[in-house]
Every structure is written in structure tokens, then in C-alpha cells.
Amino acid sequence: MPTNFTVVPVEDAEDCNKSLASAGDNKPISLGKIFQEEENEDNLQGDEDQRESSPFITSDGDRERYYEGQNMALFEEEMDSTPMVSSLLNKLANYTNLTQGVREHEEAENEDGVQTVAVVVPQMGTFIGVYLPCMQNILGVILFLRLTWIVGTAGILGSFAIVSMCCICTLLTAISMSAIATNGVVPAGGSYYMISRSLGPEFGGAVGLCFYLGTTFAGSLYILGTIEILLLYIVPTAPVIKEGEDSAGPNNMRVYGTCCLLLMALVVFVGVKYVNKLALVFLACVFLSIMATYAGVIKTVIEPPEFTVCLLGNRSLRNDKFETCAKTEVVKNETMTTDLWRIFCETEYPNATCDPFFDMNNVTELRAIPGLLSGVIKDNLWGEYAPAGEPIEKKSLSSVQEPDTPTDTDKPFVFNDIATYFTLLVGIYFPSVTGIMAGSNRSGDLRDAQRSIPIGTIMAILTTSFIYISCVVMFGACIEGVVLRDKFGFSVKKTPVIGVLAWPSPWVIVIGSFFSCCGAGLQSLTGAPRLLQAIARDGIIPFLQVFGHGKANGEPTWALLLTVGICEIGILIASLDAVAPILSMFFLMCYLFVNLACAVQTLLRTPNWRPRFKFYHWTLSFLGMSLCLSLMFISSWHYALVAILIAGCIYKYIEYRGAVKEWGDGIRGLSLNAARYALIRLEEAPLHTKNWRPQLLVLCKLDSDLAVKHPRLLSFTTQLKAGKGLTIVCSVLEGTYMTRGKDIKAGEQNLKAAMVAEKMKGFSHVVVSSNLRDGFSLLIQSAGLGGMKHNAVLMAWPVGWKHARDSLARRNFIETVRETTAAHQALLVAKNIDKFPGNQDRLKEGTIDVWWIVHDGGLLMLLPFLLSQHKVWRKCKMRIFTVAQMDDNSIQMKKDLQRFLYHLRLDAQVEVVEMHDSDISAFTYEKTLIMEQRSKMLKQMQLSRTEREREAQLIHDRNTASHSTNEKAAGGPPDRVHMTWTKDKLINERNRHREGMGVKDMFNMRPEWENLSQSNVRRMHTAVKLNEVVVKKSENSELVLLNMPGPPRSKKGHENYMEFLEVLMDGLDRVLLVRGGGREVITIYS
């Protein structure tokens, strides 16, 4: 049954070559790509997000064939996106699987020298495809070189606990992995693919790299095991560097290990197919060695082996330099000293001076393999841990030793090379149970991956667990304890301890384990570069993209070079016992996240989570995850911390710099569930003042090209928010949704691009409405969700409202102010927003001036504090101005304000400005007259577009002339502004203004002061007077924050509202009008 959609069409020869491009890339092709049009085949290498976005695409020829019949005419207009089921099945039948793994890179040349790939239907079943590869990867170097030592050191019970913990950990991981692997197709990449598609690119990349490092260090482990077997047991005379009596010293391990690594890398580079074909030979060596071990155990019942171990007192001796285990021997009726005597004594004569320990203790010879029925199992039940450098002793025998006499390390005692303790043994043993991912990595080669992966993997784990546990019991029941604790077999003539037990010869174990380690090393050097290549081709880690390239046939050359370099680091460590805990960390972390992925998917209950493997539960996954984490810290807590730190750094790097991927991962679903829960909780209780922060709805305007008209509005938002809280950037397009669908997408893309350019975190949204007013109204009402709704609206001041041909801009602005007030939302209006500093600017000095005229919740004082947190405004000082009336005590007001700011924990300069009552100036009347004339004329006269523009320009010129006259008046002594109004002065002031305008009164109307609205005159007077004070105090400030007065409650006279605001802000460079939302946003309490 086809299970992998990395596919090649079985068509004519011409199409075969076209298929090679997609076959060389081991990225999966989604189902939608099978139905893509022929002219789009070059796009097969696109991003997976795009692949999965369009489920079905039919070709033109197919569409014509669909239309031939009339039975499906009802669906004919949708045939381009939803093909007929018959066509779907027909296309599936014409495609077949391309085998994965290293087989997809094997080359075959025809007679013309053209490289082709043989496309064959995978025929591997559970036994060949999953069971045997897992067995080969699980059984290895630790079984042959370290398991006897672990049993002797930890005892049968301790070893049983170690083996059980590790096997249960891998079994639980295999259950979780089976659920994930049977929930869909697992392409090349194996565990990396499963984790990344289940937990997202950040976790997938971090754990994928950890798994890659684990596989690479596994290659180092196997190579070190190979060299250890070679130098200790096969060619003990081969060392090139003399390191005492140890032929497998660190320097020799480094020299021979490096040579072996380069040789294996050359084999992998030249011909991966040979490594694949030799895999069965290496596996046969493993099984042959295990069978020889079981046969040796059975033989001990009948006849124990002749191997003996020599003890001096209770200490084990290296017997490779002497044959007779005695101090003296009788030769031709004469007592002669032995080679052992000569080692411990100065001369060979009986009266020679000897080592005190040698003199005081007898020599004992014991069977190294007492046999299954000897009862030695009782002595080996409990562990015997010892520090480094201590001789191996049989505790049941007594020995005599002079007190405070150190052990002579030059004597042929067998010493512990490292300090032993339980947690160390866990870290050394765990690599022997890794390799459970071998089946999932070959999913493309399987006839029925959904069935084979769970059965094969779990059966392999159960089989190997039985082998390990039985070996623990057999070793403890058959072999003498001092021999078990002899790691390298020095006490049995430099023979591997498991080889002493094996039948018919120890060489079966030596040769079998040697080839087993060679094969496992080659497999690691073959698999690790491909894993790195899969990670690099996903594009989630930018600096790894170079390792996604390789030779023309897809071989990962660059990835192989990096793998060799990292593997060399492990070889330079030159100790199998030191490298084993390192790769244990990386594998345990990988298994931990496999369990986490299964648990998350199960608990989320996503509709797409439908594994064929049903024997899983989230509790088992959490148990496996907890066991993995525990084993990490049990094995080596400092290695565990380093591995977690590496994974965390990779995670944050991918999150910060990596490519954006959407794989439908569980973390995404977990985030959605957490967001839903949080939103529901937020609505349960009202927000406290201490938790209030501006949640901004930014009303952004797009130009005719759908580009952001005021990018500095987004910059100011970033400076105000500093990435905290909710930010929604919205825009409105006029029209209908059906006709402007493409414009919506383009506008949202432009908004997102502008937000990224300004390093702004938030959401973007573009809506279409019949008019801008309704669109902005809907956004103000409905933007946000649940408890995460905006509480403030930020917009730019409509600069061209005076020059508009109608009053639409003015009415839109005023209605926005009214609606935000009614919705109890704050409103921030930025004037001259294009002059505001960008995110790259740094204001080295200056002030942020706050004009606190009325109290509407304290937002005016909170905003400067938020701005000062950003690096743009950090060096600006905050000044607070408030206005005192005639009956106010300005001195007391200043003290009270300073005390209030102290309790608010705000640093600011305080100043109270006194505004005395004064008569209304002629300039105020003139401004009011011009304002009312303009409003009246626009209402009463139906002007053409040209006439309206001319009339608006005329009023603008008149306003400008009046403003220039006002500036001249302001330049004189202050008492000229505060003039007392009389009729003569009124006539003179009016005539001077008329002369200054220099424009003929086109309406031929006289300014009748008595008919002016007194309400408008008062408002204009306030605006003029307040503007004079603000300009005088804050003309050179970097930013001015002003209370924004509200529009009239009745719509009568609202057309003059923006004129008042213009006068209020006149002469100021950067202004932020602030209107509170009607609630306190700042508090003095903790």
C-alpha cells in the first residue's frame, strides 16, 4: 500500500528525467502537488505552506474531459479547484512511491551514460524493513564491551534496574512514536520530521539538531569501540605511541580513531550503496556473537571453560605476563620461583626481598567461569562500587595489608580505571538501547508502514530487552565477580570477558563485535549527514542552508564534512565511557520530545489526530517523558544542563531568525487552546487599574497603491508599546468584498511588511466597507476578541480636511471621536505624524511636555512614562504643565501635583501656568467669523468641485493672513494681546485685518460681530489663549501632549470643532491629542 507521497509518475521516458528533480530532494510533496498543472512542475521545490494550501488542482485537459458529460453540470464551475473523485483515483493509480533513505541516492548508468533512478514499488515487510534494522541499531558496542563490567559493578539487581529503566523508557517512546508515525506519512528525516511537524519548527529544529549531534557522537562511540577491540584484542602490538602497559591508551585511540574515521568517511562518500548492502553482513555478526554467548552459557552447565583468574590475597592479577598462578613451582623435584615471583621480588631467589603484600598473602587460582550451577549468582547480586585507581578485590576472601601503605600501581594488579557509581553506569549503558527510530526512518521503503512500524519497533525493543535482561542474569550467574569487574579482561589474558563465556571460541566475540562496531559506525556516518540535510532543506535555520546542498545525485557532501568534524571531537575525547553519556543526553532529549509530541496531540484532540496505532495514551507519553528527563539528570546532571542549554539556544535562534513555517503542529494547537482559556478567564472579572495598559487599535490609511501612507504612525506605536500588550493595525477600503478581495490581501501584506520593518508586534486587518465611516465604526466596535479588545484608538490628524471638496473627512473624524467616547475608549490623535522620530532615531535631549488641563483618567501622565521606556525617547525629560484659574492657589496646586507625582513614582518637572481672565481679542472674533462664514457657505451653496476648491483656498489664505498678523502682534509687548475691547479698536482691528488679507471679499459680506455665536466666540477665545501659553512654554519641546476637548454634544455646530483644534495646535511641531476613556488608568497604590 503506498504510504509516502514523495512520488515519481510512471510515464514515458521523457517524464522520467523531469521527475528526478523532485526525487533528488527528499522533501515530501503534498497531495495537492500530485494534481498540479504540468506547466507548474518547476515549482515543486516551493515552501510546504504553499504546497498544502491548495488541495486539488486539475489540468486544462482534465477540465475539458469533465465537461464532456452533462451529469455533473451543476459542479462544472468548480472543477478547477475540486476535481472529480474518479480523476483523483485515476491520478493516484498512475503514481508510485520512490524509496527513501540512502537508496534514493544510488546511481545506475545506462549504456548512454545517462544517470537514471530505478523506480520500484517498496516490498519490504515488517521483519526486513523494521525489525532487523532496529535490532542492528540497538544491539552494539555496549553489549560486547561494557555490559559484563556494568553487571559486576552494579550487581545483578542494580544492572536489572538500569536495564529495566532504559528499556521501559524506549518502550514508552516507541509507543508514542508509533502513534505519531501512523498518523500520516513520515518522509526522510524520521524523528526530526515527526517532532518538527508535531511540535513546530522551533522544537523540531532544536531537537532535530540534538538528534543529529547524538547520531554523530554515536559514530564516535562505535569508532572508539572498534579501535578498542583492535588494539586490545586483535593487534595488541600495533600501538604507535608507547603509553605504559596499556596498548589502548588515549593517544593511540586518537591516532587510530582519526584514521578509522577518515577511512569510513571515504567509504560513505564514495559509495553509500555498499554500506547499505553490507548492513546484513554486520547484522549477521551481531546475531552470531549473541548466539555464541548463549551457547557458552549452556556449555557451562556441562563443562565450564578452562579460563582461570589469579588472586593475590583478595586482589585480582593481570595474568598476561605469567603462566603459573603460584609463587613457586616444583620442577624436577626442585622448588623454583615463578614469573609471578620475579614480578613482585627483586631477584628470582627464594630469599629475595619482595613486596610486603606479596609476602603476607597467598596466591589463589579460581575459575573465571564457575558455571550456571555454581551458585556464584549469590555473590554477584549486589554491586561493588569503587574509586578510580583502586585494585579489584574479591570481598569474600581475606587479605593482609600493612596499614597506611599505598598500593603500588606498577604491580600487575587489575585496577579500576574510573570511579564507579550508579548514575555513571546509567549514562554509559543507555546508548545500548538507542536505535528505535530505524524503522520510522525507512517508512518509504515499507509495504505497509502503518502496520510495520509499530509492530516491528515494539517487537525489536521487546526482543533486545529480553536479550539484555537475560545477559544480565547469565553474566551474574556464570562469571566470577572479579572477572566481571575487569573491564578489559586483563585477568583472563586480555580476552573480552564475554568472549571467555562464548562458545566455541572468544574470537567469535572479538571478530563479531569488531565488524558490528564498524557497521554501526558506517551507519551513523551515513544517517547523520542526511538528517542534517533534511533540517537544512527545511530552511528553518538560516546558517545551515549550505549543508542542504550536495553532489549531483543528492549525496550530502557538505553535511558529511561537518559530521566528520564533530565526530572527530568525540574521538579526541578518546574514552568510550566519556562519550557514551554525551550521546545519551541528546538521544534522551529527542525521546523526551517524541513523548511530548504524542501527549500534546492526544490532549488537544485535533481532528487530524487519527493514528492507526490505537494502543497509546497520554499518561504513557507523560510517563515516558518524565522517565527521559529523570534519566538525563541521573546520568549526568551537568551534561543534561548543557544539552538543554544547546536546545534552548537553537530554539530561540529559530524563533528570532528562522523562517516562518506552518506545519499544523501541536504547539500551535496548544497555543490556540491556551489563548481560548485565557480569553475566557479575562472576561470573568473586570481589569484592575494596575494591569491597565494601552491596547491600541491603530487606524492606518493606505494610499492608492495600497501602501501605508504614514509609516511613522507604526513607529510611534512601537515606541509607545515596546512590544507589550495588544496592537491591532487596521485599514478600511471602500467598495465591496467580492470586488476588492485581491486588494484586501495586498493591503494586509503591505501592513505586515510595514510592521516587520518597524519591528512591531501585533495583528493587521483590512476590511472593505461601502464608506470609510462605516468601516471605522465597525472596527471600533468589533476589533479584538473577548477580553483582548482594544481600549485605545490611535490615528493621525487629517491634514487635508480643509482642502477637501466636501466635509467627509471632517465628519469622519468627529464621528470617530464621538464613537470612541461612547465606547469608553481612549483616543490618541497625532498631528504632523510624519515628523515624529523613527525607531532608528535617538533623541539626545529635549522634553516631553504634558499639558494637563482636565483629568480624564491619568492617561496623559502614563503615556510619557511608556514612551520613556523606549530607546528613542529615553533621554527626554518629562514636564507637566497645569493651568490655574483666578480663584486657584497656584502655589498649593504645584505642591499637591508634586506630591501626586511622587506617589505615582513618576519623575517630572512641575509648572503651574496662570491664565487670567481677559477680554476677547479682535483676532478671536475674526477667526470665529471666518470659521462661521466657511461653514455657512459650504452648507448653503451647491458649488462645483472647482469652485469649492477655490473657495476653500480663499478661506485658507484669509486664515493664513490672519495668523501672520497675530504672530506680529505676539512679537510685541504682552499687553497688546490682552487689549481691552472697544468699538473704535474693533473698527481699526477689522480694517487692519482686511488690509492684511489683500483679497477681495468675494461674498461681499460685512462681519457683523453682533450676530456671531457667543458659544463659538468663547471656544475660539479659549483655543487662542491656550495656544499662546502652550507655544510660549513648549515651542521647542520634542513632543506636546494635550487634553483633547470633545465635540459638542448636539450635532449643531460640530462643523466648527476641528477649527478649534487647529487653533489649539497652531505653531506646534509634534502634538499628541489625548482623550481618556472615562476610567482611571494609573494608581498610587501598589
Side-chain angles (χ1 to χ4, degrees):
M1 183 177 79
T3 57
N4 183 4
F5 292 104
T6 306
V7 291
V8 173
V10 182
E11 298 179 31
D12 51 26
E14 295 179 0
D15 294 331
C16 182
N17 292 333
K18 295 180 181 179
S19 304
L20 291 178
S22 60
D25 186 0
N26 52 4
K27 288 186 180 179
I29 301 178
S30 66
L31 190 63
K33 286 295 178 184
I34 299 178
F35 307 100
Q36 200 167 24
E37 299 179 3
E38 294 181 359
E39 59 267 33
N40 294 332
E41 287 183 354
D42 294 336
N43 296 328
L44 286 177
Q45 304 297 331
D47 191 88
E48 282 186 0
D49 301 340
Q50 298 174 357
R51 297 176 189 173
E52 298 176 2
S53 61
S54 55
F56 305 107
I57 303 177
T58 59
S59 62
D60 294 337
D62 293 333
R63 196 178 298 119
E64 291 176 1
R65 180 161 46 84
Y66 289 146
Y67 294 161
E68 289 177 0
Q70 300 298 324
N71 293 333
M72 294 298 161
L74 187 61
F75 300 95
E76 64 183 12
E77 292 185 356
E78 300 176 1
M79 291 298 181
D80 57 343
S81 59
T82 52
M84 294 292 296
V85 174
S86 58
S87 174
L88 166 65
L89 298 177
N90 182 48
K91 288 179 179 292
L92 279 175
N94 288 331
Y95 281 77
T96 184
N97 285 334
L98 176 67
T99 56
Q100 288 182 295
V102 297
R103 295 179 58 188
E104 68 181 10
H105 302 297
E106 295 180 8
E107 302 173 351
E109 294 191 0
N110 57 20
E111 297 178 356
D112 299 331
V114 179
Q115 294 179 356
T116 60
V117 175
V119 179
V120 294
V121 178
Q123 294 297 326
M124 286 196 294
T126 303
F127 185 76
I128 298 294
V130 180
Y131 181 78
L132 289 183
C134 286
M135 291 285 290
Q136 180 187 4
N137 281 268
I138 294 174
L139 299 172
V141 61
I142 302 297
L143 171 64
F144 300 117
L145 296 183
R146 293 293 184 270
L147 188 58
T148 54
W149 172 69
I150 291 174
V151 174
T153 305
I156 295 176
L157 297 180
S159 302
F160 183 82
I162 293 172
V163 173
S164 299
M165 282 193 304
C166 297
C167 291
I168 291 173
C169 175
T170 54
L171 179 62
L172 294 175
T173 303
I175 292 173
S176 300
M177 184 199 70
S178 299
I180 298 173
T182 58
N183 191 51
V185 181
V186 180
S191 61
Y192 160 70
Y193 186 90
M194 288 189 295
I195 295 172
S196 62
R197 270 56 178 181
S198 298
L199 292 179
E202 293 87 1
F203 279 109
V207 182
L209 277 183
C210 287
F211 189 53
Y212 162 75
L213 293 174
T215 307
T216 304
F217 276 103
S220 302
L221 182 80
Y222 295 130
I223 291 174
L224 289 173
T226 303
I227 301 306
E228 185 175 304
I229 295 170
L230 177 70
L231 295 181
L232 280 178
Y233 309 123
I234 299 179
V235 193
T237 59
V240 295
I241 300 174
K242 186 65 176 176
E243 297 181 88
E245 296 182 0
D246 192 357
S247 58
N251 292 325
N252 285 308
M253 294 284 284
R254 293 183 181 107
V255 172
Y256 280 92
T258 302
C259 296
C260 183
L261 172 63
L262 295 177
L263 182 62
M264 287 185 177
L266 183 63
V267 172
V268 172
F269 178 78
V270 172
V272 176
K273 54 184 177 181
Y274 301 114
V275 178
N276 223 26
K277 291 176 181 177
L278 288 174
L280 202 57
V281 177
F282 297 140
L283 183 61
C285 293
V286 175
F287 279 112
L288 184 62
S289 301
I290 294 174
M291 295 307 296
T293 304
Y294 280 105
V297 172
I298 296 172
K299 185 177 180 297
T300 61
V301 179
I302 305 170
E303 180 184 0
E306 296 297 330
F307 282 93
T308 59
V309 58
C310 188
L311 301 179
L312 178 61
N314 62 355
R315 294 180 181 178
S316 177
L317 295 174
R318 299 176 60 150
N319 61 0
D320 54 332
K321 293 187 177 181
F322 60 89
E323 294 293 334
T324 304
C325 184
K327 293 182 179 181
T328 60
E329 60 182 343
V330 178
V331 179
K332 295 180 181 182
N333 296 326
E334 292 185 10
T335 302
M336 305 289 292
T337 57
T338 62
D339 294 336
L340 183 61
W341 180 280
R342 298 182 185 94
I343 294 173
F344 282 92
C345 300
E346 294 179 355
T347 64
E348 62 183 6
Y349 302 107
N351 59 353
T353 303
C354 299
D355 183 85
F357 189 83
F358 183 77
D359 286 335
M360 290 184 292
N361 292 278
N362 296 322
V363 176
T364 308
E365 190 172 22
L366 301 175
R367 281 185 177 272
I369 311 293
L372 195 61
L373 304 178
S374 64
V376 73
I377 189 172
K378 296 179 182 178
D379 298 331
N380 294 329
L381 277 177
W382 306 101
E384 292 187 18
Y385 302 101
E390 184 173 302
I392 296 175
E393 300 176 345
K394 184 175 175 61
K395 299 298 183 183
S396 60
L397 294 179
S398 61
S399 64
V400 181
Q401 184 178 3
E402 292 183 359
D404 301 328
T405 302
T407 303
D408 190 354
T409 57
D410 294 331
K411 303 304 180 184
F413 296 116
V414 180
F415 295 95
N416 287 304
D417 62 330
I418 59 174
T420 53
Y421 41 91
F422 180 80
T423 57
L424 171 72
L425 300 183
V426 174
I428 293 176
Y429 173 76
F430 188 81
S432 64
V433 296
T434 58
I436 62 175
M437 301 291 185
S440 62
N441 290 347
R442 296 167 177 251
S443 62
D445 301 334
L446 302 175
R447 187 183 303 114
D448 185 359
Q450 307 287 323
R451 179 177 177 272
S452 297
I453 289 177
I455 295 175
T457 304
I458 294 175
M459 288 304 298
I461 292 175
L462 294 177
T463 304
T464 53
S465 300
F466 170 77
I467 291 174
Y468 282 125
I469 292 175
S470 62
C471 284
V472 167
V473 177
M474 289 188 304
F475 294 160
C478 295
I479 305 175
E480 181 62 46
V482 290
V483 179
L484 284 173
R485 291 192 295 279
D486 184 2
K487 183 186 294 185
F488 304 108
F490 291 140
S491 61
V492 285
K493 298 187 180 297
K494 275 194 175 181
T495 304
V497 177
I498 191 174
V500 177
L501 181 63
W503 181 86
S505 169
W507 284 99
V508 176
I509 297 294
V510 173
I511 301 301
S513 59
F514 178 79
F515 283 109
S516 170
C517 292
C518 285
L522 286 171
Q523 292 289 345
S524 297
L525 290 179
T526 302
R530 281 162 179 77
L531 178 59
L532 181 62
Q533 187 181 46
I535 298 173
R537 286 183 172 178
D538 263 344
I540 59 175
I541 306 177
F543 69 83
L544 288 182
Q545 290 183 358
V546 65
F547 299 107
H549 307 293
K551 294 195 296 187
N553 65 335
E555 289 291 338
T557 308
W558 295 106
L560 178 61
L561 291 176
L562 180 64
T563 302
V564 170
I566 298 175
C567 195
E568 176 65 17
I569 296 175
I571 290 174
L572 293 177
I573 297 175
S575 173
L576 188 147
D577 301 322
V579 173
I582 297 176
L583 65 99
S584 295
M585 292 303 110
F586 293 125
F587 278 117
L588 279 168
M589 182 165 289
C590 178
Y591 296 166
L592 184 151
F593 281 98
V594 169
N595 285 293
L596 176 62
C598 180
V600 168
Q601 296 280 22
T602 305
L603 290 175
L604 289 178
R605 299 178 182 176
T606 53
N608 192 51
W609 180 246
R610 303 185 301 274
R612 291 189 178 275
F613 180 77
K614 302 298 182 182
F615 304 100
Y616 69 94
H617 196 267
W618 67 268
T619 54
L620 294 177
S621 299
F622 268 109
L623 180 61
M625 183 177 65
S626 304
L627 192 54
C628 288
L629 189 62
S630 301
L631 286 174
M632 286 178 65
F633 283 92
I634 287 174
S635 302
S636 176
W637 64 268
H638 46 279
Y639 280 165
L641 292 178
V642 170
I644 293 173
L645 180 63
I646 291 173
C649 292
I650 298 171
Y651 177 94
K652 296 305 293 182
Y653 177 80
I654 296 174
E655 185 180 53
Y656 180 69
R657 293 289 304 274
V660 178
K661 296 286 182 180
E662 176 52 54
W663 288 331
D665 51 87
I667 294 297
R668 178 91 172 177
L670 189 63
S671 301
L672 290 173
N673 272 10
R676 178 186 61 84
Y677 176 77
L679 288 172
I680 293 174
R681 288 292 304 274
L682 282 175
E683 283 198 319
E684 292 178 357
L687 188 69
H688 194 274
T689 302
K690 290 187 290 186
N691 294 325
W692 193 95
R693 66 174 68 238
Q695 318 281 14
L696 290 180
L697 173 68
V698 184
L699 301 182
C700 193
K701 203 169 185 180
L702 302 179
D703 57 20
S704 58
D705 296 327
L706 301 179
V708 178
K709 190 171 183 180
H710 301 293
R712 288 297 170 89
L713 190 63
L714 303 183
S715 302
F716 183 70
T717 305
T718 305
Q719 297 158 19
L720 190 62
K721 299 289 293 180
K724 303 295 190 298
L726 175 70
T727 305
I728 307 175
V729 182
C730 296
S731 188
V732 178
L733 301 178
E734 287 189 283
T736 62
Y737 186 80
M738 299 301 295
T739 58
R740 304 206 63 177
K742 293 183 179 179
D743 292 341
I744 293 176
K745 293 181 179 179
E748 287 190 347
Q749 289 178 354
N750 292 339
L751 280 180
K752 290 179 180 179
M755 292 170 67
V756 170
E758 298 296 338
K759 296 182 180 180
M760 177 181 176
K761 295 180 180 180
F763 308 96
S764 61
H765 192 42
V766 177
V767 298
V768 175
S769 179
S770 57
N771 57 74
L772 296 178
R773 175 70 250 119
D774 292 343
F776 286 127
S777 177
L778 289 174
L779 288 173
I780 292 172
Q781 296 177 54
S782 61
L785 180 63
M788 285 297 288
K789 291 183 68 69
H790 62 278
N791 54 28
V793 177
L794 174 63
M795 61 186 298
W797 175 259
V799 180
W801 69 274
K802 285 187 177 181
H803 309 292
R805 61 179 180 270
D806 52 28
S807 59
L808 185 61
R810 182 185 62 189
R811 286 189 282 111
N812 286 346
F813 179 81
I814 296 174
E815 288 301 316
T816 300
V817 177
R818 283 201 172 102
E819 287 177 357
T820 53
T821 304
H824 301 289
Q825 296 172 5
L827 178 63
L828 313 178
V829 181
K831 181 187 177 184
N832 296 331
I833 186 62
D834 295 327
K835 295 182 180 180
F836 275 55
N839 289 329
Q840 304 303 321
D841 299 331
R842 300 291 182 271
L843 301 178
K844 297 182 179 180
E845 57 183 0
T847 60
I848 300 176
D849 288 356
V850 177
W851 284 86
W852 190 23
I853 302 170
V854 295
H855 180 66
D856 53 1
L859 183 59
L860 265 175
M861 288 174 288
L862 184 62
L863 292 178
F865 170 76
L866 296 176
L867 284 175
S868 64
Q869 304 303 304
H870 196 274
K871 50 192 173 183
V872 174
W873 303 89
R874 188 166 295 160
K875 295 185 178 181
C876 291
K877 296 181 180 180
M878 177 178 172
R879 296 194 303 179
I880 295 183
F881 296 90
T882 189
V883 177
Q885 301 297 327
M886 284 293 296
D887 53 351
D888 294 328
N889 187 339
S890 59
I891 298 176
Q892 187 62 38
M893 280 182 63
K894 184 174 182 178
K895 292 181 179 179
D896 293 341
L897 181 54
Q898 288 174 337
R899 186 183 307 110
F900 182 58
L901 292 177
Y902 175 78
H903 288 304
L904 290 177
R905 290 89 64 199
L906 295 177
D907 295 327
Q909 299 177 10
V910 175
E911 186 172 343
V912 177
V913 178
E914 296 180 352
M915 288 188 64
H916 301 288
D917 292 337
S918 61
D919 293 336
I920 301 174
S921 66
F923 174 69
T924 300
Y925 276 104
E926 190 66 30
K927 294 283 291 186
T928 307
L929 176 63
I930 296 172
M931 177 184 68
E932 291 192 355
Q933 284 180 341
R934 181 182 185 279
S935 300
K936 185 177 181 181
M937 295 304 297
L938 286 178
K939 282 182 179 180
Q940 294 179 353
M941 300 178 63
Q942 298 296 327
L943 302 177
S944 64
R945 178 178 179 180
T946 304
E947 290 173 331
R948 288 193 179 193
E949 291 178 351
R950 187 185 305 120
E951 190 269 346
Q953 184 63 38
L954 177 63
I955 295 178
H956 172 70
D957 294 340
R958 183 183 302 171
N959 189 13
T960 303
S962 300
H963 179 57
S964 61
T965 305
N966 179 44
E967 289 180 345
K968 293 179 181 178
D975 57 348
R976 292 184 60 186
V977 177
H978 302 284
M979 59 183 295
T980 302
W981 190 257
T982 61
K983 189 172 182 180
D984 295 335
K985 291 182 178 179
L986 168 63
I987 297 173
N988 295 333
E989 188 75 17
R990 182 189 62 192
N991 293 335
R992 190 170 76 252
H993 276 283
R994 285 186 173 180
E995 293 173 359
M997 286 186 286
V999 178
K1000 184 179 179 181
D1001 186 5
M1002 61 175 295
F1003 304 107
N1004 196 21
M1005 296 177 61
R1006 293 179 302 163
E1008 300 177 356
W1009 307 111
E1010 296 82 2
N1011 295 331
L1012 291 177
S1013 169
Q1014 293 302 311
S1015 174
N1016 287 340
V1017 172
R1018 289 197 309 272
R1019 286 187 171 91
M1020 183 62 73
H1021 176 65
T1022 302
V1024 170
K1025 296 296 294 180
L1026 191 56
N1027 174 257
E1028 290 176 358
V1029 175
V1030 173
V1031 170
K1032 180 180 178 181
K1033 296 287 186 179
S1034 304
E1035 187 175 11
N1036 297 321
S1037 64
E1038 297 293 344
L1039 179 64
V1040 177
L1041 280 76
L1042 284 170
N1043 278 119
M1044 182 178 182
R1049 294 181 181 179
S1050 63
K1051 291 193 176 183
K1052 181 180 180 181
H1054 72 278
E1055 63 275 1
N1056 302 322
Y1057 173 65
M1058 294 187 70
E1059 290 278 3
F1060 299 138
L1061 296 183
E1062 281 279 10
V1063 173
L1064 181 63
M1065 298 183 292
D1066 196 16
L1068 298 174
D1069 196 18
R1070 300 175 187 147
V1071 183
L1072 184 66
L1073 294 176
V1074 180
R1075 184 165 176 79
R1079 63 160 295 169
E1080 292 292 332
V1081 301
I1082 194 167
T1083 177
I1084 64 174
Y1085 299 105
S1086 59

